[in-house]
Amino acid sequence: MPFSPGISAIKTPGGQQRRVASLFADRKVDLLLLLVAILWGSSYLAAKNLTGTVGVSVILSLRFLITSLALSMIWLIWQRRRTTRRELIVGVVLGLTQAAVLILETHGIAGTSATNAGLIISLVIVFTPVTESIAFRVKLPRTVFVAGIVAVTGVCLLVSGNGFVAPGPGDMLMLAAAAVRSIHVTAVSALTRGGGYSALNLTVVQSAVCAVLYTLADYRGVLRAVQGFDLHEWGGVLYLGLACSVFAFLVQTWAIQQTSGSRASLLMGTEPIWAVLIGITIGQETLAVLGFIGAALIIIGTYIGLRAEARHRSSRHPVSGGIPEAAAPQASGSGALPDTLSAQPRPLRDP
C-alpha cells in the first residue's frame, strides 16, 4: 500500500480513548474537586424539596445520623487512632457551631429559593477573611473589602425581584448562616492550628454532636419520618448524608494532598454557579433581570475576594513545592486520608 503522508494523523478509537484517559488522569484532582462543588450546589435544591414534607430538625437529624454512621464505619476500616480528650472537646465545640450554621441555613432554604440560598451562603468566602483578620489581627488587602461590597450589592439585587424590596425571612436567615459559618470556619482554624488533630476524628465527633442535637430537638418527628418516608424522600436524605457530606468530605480531604489550598478553594468556590444552574434547570426556578445581575455580582465578588485572600495568604508564607505552607496538608500516603488538621487549608464547607 502506498505511503500516505496523512495516515499517521488518523485518529483511531483506541487512541482517542487513551487521550481521554490521559486527560482525566492529569485533571483528576481538579475534576473531583469540581464534582464536590456540583454536589454542594445541588444540596440546596435537595434540602428545599425535603423541607416541603418534614421539619428542618427532622431532615438534619436523619442526614447526620446517616453521615455519622458512614464516617464511623470509615474510621473502623482505616483503623484511625483513638480520639484524644482534646480532640473530643474541640470536636464538640465545633459541632455546636456547625449545628447553629445548619439550622439557620436549612430554615433559610425553606423560606427562599434554592438559587438564592446557594448564592447568599457563598458570601462566607468574603466574610471569613474578615472574621479571621479580626481573630488573628491580620491586616487584609483592600481588594477583599471591595469584593465584599460587590458581593453584598449583588445580594441586594438578587432578592429585589422586579424592583427594590426588602429581603424575605429566608434570605435573611441565609445571610445570618453565612456570617455564622465564617465564625465557625475561623474557629476551626483557631482551635486546630498546630494541634496535630485527626481530620476524620474531628469530623466524626462534629457529625455525632449535630445528629444528637437535631434528634433531641424533634425525636418524635424523626420516628414518624423513619416510618413514613417514601423512596423519593429517603433518596433525598441519603443524597445529602452520603454524597453531599461523606463523599464530599473524603474527596476534599484527599484532594488537598494533591494540589494547593488556593487551587482547591477556587475550584470548590464554583459552588454558587452550580447552585444557580441546578436551581434554574432542574428546580425550574426563575430569576428576574435584576436577579441575574445580582447573581453575577455575587459570583464575581466572591471570586475576586477568594483570589485576593489566597494571594495575600501565600505572600505571608514561604512556598515549598508550589504549595503554601499554610495550606499544605500533612500527607499520609497516596490515597489515604491526611492524619492531621495542623496545616489543612481553610474549608469552605464541612459535612
Side-chain angles (χ1 to χ4, degrees):
M1 176 180 177
F3 173 75
S4 171
I7 197 168
S8 60
I10 295 176
K11 297 179 180 179
T12 63
Q16 289 178 339
Q17 290 174 359
R18 284 192 295 272
R19 278 190 290 275
V20 171
S22 176
L23 179 63
F24 179 78
D26 292 340
R27 298 296 182 186
K28 179 172 63 176
V29 175
D30 290 353
L31 291 172
L32 286 173
L33 287 172
L34 204 57
L35 176 59
V36 170
I38 294 171
L39 290 173
W40 285 344
S42 67
S43 68
Y44 302 102
L45 183 60
K48 175 74 174 177
N49 291 336
L50 285 170
T51 57
T53 57
V54 291
V56 168
S57 296
V58 174
I59 296 169
L60 292 171
S61 169
L62 293 175
R63 173 180 178 176
F64 279 93
L65 285 171
I66 292 168
T67 300
S68 300
L69 179 60
L71 288 175
S72 297
M73 292 174 65
I74 292 168
W75 183 87
L76 290 173
I77 293 171
W78 258 284
Q79 295 183 339
R80 288 294 169 184
R81 66 171 186 242
R82 290 186 178 181
T83 304
T84 65
R85 182 179 179 183
R86 186 161 179 79
E87 280 178 338
L88 183 62
I89 294 172
V90 171
V92 169
V93 171
L94 296 179
L96 292 172
T97 58
Q98 178 74 351
V101 170
L102 288 165
I103 199 72
L104 286 170
E105 185 177 299
T106 313
H107 273 294
I109 292 170
T112 188
S113 67
T115 302
N116 280 24
L119 287 166
I120 295 173
I121 198 65
S122 69
L123 290 178
V124 69
I125 298 173
V126 178
F127 291 167
T128 301
V130 177
T131 57
E132 286 184 339
S133 70
I134 295 171
F136 302 124
R137 298 180 181 179
V138 176
K139 188 176 180 179
L140 283 175
R142 188 177 301 172
T143 309
V144 173
F145 295 100
V146 173
I149 294 172
V150 171
V152 171
T153 302
V155 170
C156 294
L157 293 175
L158 177 71
V159 302
S160 66
N162 292 314
F164 290 99
V165 296
D171 299 316
M172 294 302 296
L173 284 171
M174 291 306 302
L175 197 59
V180 176
R181 184 177 288 281
S182 70
I183 296 171
H184 168 73
V185 172
T186 302
V188 171
S189 179
L191 294 176
T192 63
R193 178 171 293 183
Y197 300 116
S198 163
L200 185 56
N201 285 1
L202 281 180
T203 307
V204 170
V205 174
Q206 286 183 71
S207 297
V209 169
C210 290
V212 170
L213 288 175
Y214 297 138
T215 303
L216 291 177
D218 189 5
Y219 66 91
R220 290 190 179 90
V222 174
L223 291 175
R224 287 194 299 269
V226 170
Q227 295 171 351
F229 264 13
D230 59 25
L231 189 61
H232 176 74
E233 290 163 334
W234 274 117
V237 172
L238 289 169
Y239 181 75
L240 289 172
L242 297 180
C244 300
S245 294
V246 177
F247 175 78
F249 164 75
L250 293 176
V251 169
Q252 178 188 5
T253 309
W254 169 81
I256 59 176
Q257 297 178 76
Q258 321 299 324
T259 188
S260 68
S262 58
R263 187 175 182 83
S265 295
L266 287 171
L267 287 166
M268 291 186 292
T270 61
E271 175 189 344
I273 299 174
W274 300 111
V276 172
L277 293 176
I278 292 169
I280 292 175
T281 55
I282 300 176
Q284 297 183 338
E285 298 177 345
T286 58
L287 280 178
V289 174
L290 287 177
F292 274 109
I293 296 173
L297 288 177
I298 292 171
I299 293 169
I300 291 169
T302 54
Y303 182 80
I304 292 173
L306 189 58
R307 287 295 299 269
E309 193 273 340
R311 285 196 301 268
H312 179 65
R313 179 159 18 102
S314 298
S315 68
R316 291 188 291 111
H317 297 275
V319 177
S320 174
I323 303 177
E325 285 185 6
Q330 299 282 341
S332 57
S334 177
L337 292 172
D339 194 43
T340 69
L341 272 175
S342 59
Q344 187 168 331
R346 174 174 57 81
L348 294 177
R349 285 183 59 173
D350 299 309

